[in-house]
Structures are given as C-alpha cells and as structure tokens.
Amino acid sequence: MQITDTAVSLTVEDTDTSAAFLRRHFGYTEQMSADGFVSLGHPGGGVNVVYLRRGLEVLPEEQRHRTADGVALAFVVGDIAAEERRLREEGVAITLPLREEPWGEKLFQVTDPNGVVVELVEWVKR
C-alpha cells in the first residue's frame, strides 16, 4: 500500500465554524467544500482536516448522528509558550492551561465552537 496523503475526518454540527476556527487561528486553508463538507490543508504540511456535518447521508447510519466528542487534534509546535500567548491575544479561550507532563511533553488545549479540542504540544528535550 502506498499512502499519498493523510486526513482526519470529524463530524460536527456546523462545518463552517470549525473550518473558520482552523483557518483563522492555525493557518489552514480550504481545499474544497460543499454543503455539509469542508476539507482543509495546511501549507506547512501535516494532517489534512475534513469536517462533515452531523446527519450527512454519506456517513454510515450508525455514525451519522455522532459527533467528534472525545477526539483531539494535536499539533506539535516549536515554541508552545509563544503559541499560547498568540492564541490568548487573538481571544481564544484556553480550555486546558499550559502544563508539563513528567514524560517530557508541554501542552495546552483550546476548543473550537463545535467542541472539537485542539491540543498544542511541544516535546521537551531531557
């Protein structure tokens, strides 16, 4: 198997608000969209993000009305303190304050308007 790209697909109530959140605060760009569907990519690479509106018939019946609850998008960054400051200055609520874990991970979380958790991570060299 040759994998040519990677995307995560998240089901949300309002695709436009989640897409706007990633575009405004994380530099994603819209690749394509239709009613109930938005595909985003990042100019720096990494994972593409697809948002599907809850109830969309393209989803299997047993998944059609579930949302991205309990899922976090995690982005590894180089200067987590600067990113936390930037997001605060942009008016984004920090839903999990900056912390350092014993295994060498600094992280904090924000939450988009649909409840999708976005976690920023920096690995600490020990």
Side-chain angles (χ1 to χ4, degrees):
M1 168 189 347
Q2 179 183 2
I3 297 174
T4 60
D5 212 348
T6 303
V8 62
S9 180
L10 303 171
T11 303
V12 296
E13 292 292 333
D14 183 344
T15 58
D16 292 338
T17 59
S18 283
F21 187 81
L22 281 191
R23 284 194 311 268
R24 178 173 181 211
H25 301 295
F26 296 96
Y28 272 77
T29 59
E30 186 176 297
Q31 305 297 302
M32 62 183 91
S33 65
D35 183 36
F37 166 85
V38 180
S39 177
L40 303 163
H42 195 277
V47 68
N48 293 338
V49 177
V50 173
Y51 290 112
L52 299 172
R53 184 181 59 234
R54 187 178 67 78
L56 209 59
E57 289 187 12
V58 70
L59 296 166
E61 178 64 36
E62 65 275 4
Q63 296 176 11
R64 199 167 289 165
H65 297 285
R66 295 167 55 193
T67 59
D69 188 41
V71 174
L73 288 174
F75 301 133
V76 178
V77 298
D79 185 346
I80 198 160
E83 294 299 334
E84 194 234 10
R85 247 184 337 272
R86 177 186 65 81
L87 289 167
R88 279 189 193 279
E89 288 170 2
E90 291 176 4
V92 177
I94 306 301
T95 51
L96 178 69
L98 183 61
R99 59 195 278 173
E100 185 171 339
E101 300 296 348
W103 53 84
E105 175 185 27
K106 288 183 181 178
L107 65 99
F108 72 93
Q109 294 177 348
V110 299
T111 304
D112 89 351
N114 282 294
V116 176
V117 174
V118 180
E119 180 175 281
L120 278 75
V121 176
E122 180 181 5
W123 293 101
V124 179
K125 295 180 180 158
R126 296 193 180 246

